[in-house]
Amino acid sequence: MRSDLRLAVAAAALLLVAAAPETSVTLPFAPPTGVPIRYDCTTVRNLGGRPLTMASTHELQFAGAGDKRSVRWTVKSLAVSGDEPVRELLQATGSVVVGQPVDIALTPDGAAGAITNEAALRAHVRAATPAVKAAFVPMFAPAPETTRIALQALLDGELAALDPQTPEEFAASWLEVVEPLLGGEAPLVPGVVVEADVEAQAPIGGGALRYKLRYGLRDYVPGKSAQVFHDLTADPEDVQRYAAEMVAQMFPDAAPGQNEATATRAILSQMTSATQITSDISLPTGLRTRFSTATTTELPGRPKRIESRECRLVSTKVL
């Protein structure tokens, strides 16, 4: 979602800065080089109505400067907690990336560019995949058919996300985790909110949904600290469109007025979803001291679904 946000914000921010160039602020990004920088992250995912918690440790090491800047990102550890067998499945698929350095070229403002060791990462994933799949064969075999199909689909999906077909999909999948810890913020005016429309992945079904975005810079203390925030709310009108498309996919042969299709559309059309994202930034390094995102999705008659992620800078000596 962050790449979509950056494009939408950049377009809106250009208009804002053009109107008030003397008050705009471009946050610096000048992290120390050659120093391991560690973040501890906690992620809560919701699968089948059951939450799973993933605790992970990430190490960043920057090199170069300007248009020659790069970062090596390594997931140092991962621990998944939650109900079995999904917990074990996510632990196994997530552990494929643990210890594998990901080399990323950065833009001059610190945003993620290209993954420069994509071939090595793909080779590692493809070498590890057969053993991961084989380990779950005896676990899936005695399960009821519907459960077995669901678990196999989850396993295949998690592994496919590590080895997508195109370079663009590969970069989007791998960089989703580390992008929020990097730079690339658009110029902003302190205390002024940028508003824009952005398309991003829907919380249910995985299709594209339009969101209303509010973005800004607050608590800005020059040379010391700042906080950048994004607030996204699903556009109610686009939720109606999305509900109709989802029902058409789920019930392709449904006759007009079919009860189940009609009831499903009525529920989906009332979906609400909102995401709050905040980045606490230390200046002048531009390092994120804390990043958090939380998405709340509600459907009538269903429990509220909350998914979240929080990362905190552990290596305070680099500030």
Side-chain angles (χ1 to χ4, degrees):
M1 181 182 281
R2 185 173 165 82
S3 296
D4 295 326
L5 292 180
R6 183 179 291 116
L7 292 173
V9 168
L14 283 175
L15 298 176
L16 176 67
V17 172
E22 69 283 354
T23 58
S24 68
V25 171
T26 299
L27 297 178
F29 190 74
T33 58
V35 179
I37 299 171
R38 198 184 97 189
Y39 286 88
D40 286 347
C41 300
T42 301
T43 302
V44 177
R45 289 179 61 180
N46 193 303
L47 294 172
R50 309 288 292 185
L52 290 104
T53 301
M54 292 173 278
S56 56
T57 300
H58 303 255
E59 183 181 282
L60 303 180
Q61 189 156 329
F62 293 91
D67 60 359
K68 302 296 184 182
R69 182 180 287 137
S70 64
V71 63
R72 170 165 283 192
W73 161 51
T74 309
V75 181
K76 306 297 285 186
S77 67
L78 172 70
V80 183
S81 59
D83 291 347
E84 301 291 1
V86 176
R87 184 212 66 80
E88 186 174 352
L89 189 154
L90 293 182
Q91 182 70 58
T93 55
S95 294
V96 170
V97 307
V98 173
Q100 296 301 309
V102 181
D103 295 326
I104 306 165
L106 301 177
T107 62
D109 63 355
I115 296 176
T116 57
N117 65 334
E118 177 182 333
L121 293 170
R122 285 189 185 273
H124 170 74
V125 171
R126 291 170 185 176
T129 293
V132 173
K133 287 187 173 182
F136 287 94
V137 170
M139 180 184 298
F140 292 173
E145 182 179 5
T146 54
T147 302
R148 184 169 65 252
I149 292 173
L151 290 172
Q152 188 65 57
L154 177 60
L155 175 62
D156 292 343
E158 292 293 316
L159 291 172
L162 298 177
D163 190 19
Q165 290 187 351
T166 69
E168 294 77 16
E169 291 171 333
F170 185 90
S173 180
W174 280 74
L175 295 178
E176 182 180 7
V177 173
V178 71
E179 268 193 318
L181 305 180
L182 303 175
E185 302 294 349
L188 289 169
V189 176
V192 177
V193 176
V194 175
E195 296 185 351
D197 290 338
V198 58
E199 278 198 352
Q201 183 174 324
I204 296 174
L209 183 64
R210 188 169 65 245
Y211 290 82
K212 297 293 185 181
L213 166 68
R214 300 178 75 255
Y215 169 98
L217 175 66
R218 60 193 177 200
D219 300 335
Y220 175 59
V221 181
K224 292 187 178 181
S225 61
Q227 185 181 84
V228 174
F229 70 91
H230 307 74
D231 291 337
L232 297 105
T233 304
D235 186 329
E237 290 186 4
D238 203 47
V239 168
Q240 302 296 317
R241 172 202 60 81
Y242 186 69
E245 291 182 359
M246 282 284 293
V247 169
Q249 293 175 16
M250 295 168 65
F251 305 96
D253 301 321
Q258 180 177 320
N259 288 343
E260 188 175 5
T262 301
T264 301
R265 180 170 178 174
I267 292 172
L268 289 176
S269 65
Q270 297 180 66
M271 178 181 72
T272 61
S273 184
T275 299
Q276 288 77 44
I277 305 171
T278 58
S279 296
D280 295 335
I281 301 172
S282 178
L283 302 176
T285 64
L287 288 173
R288 276 60 181 155
T289 57
R290 176 180 175 271
F291 164 80
S292 69
T293 177
T295 298
T296 302
T297 303
E298 294 187 73
L299 291 168
R302 304 290 196 277
K304 183 184 298 185
R305 171 174 154 175
I306 301 175
E307 296 192 319
S308 64
R309 180 169 182 247
E310 180 180 63
C311 295
R312 290 184 178 272
L313 179 68
V314 178
S315 309
T316 54
K317 291 184 180 180
V318 302
L319 297 178

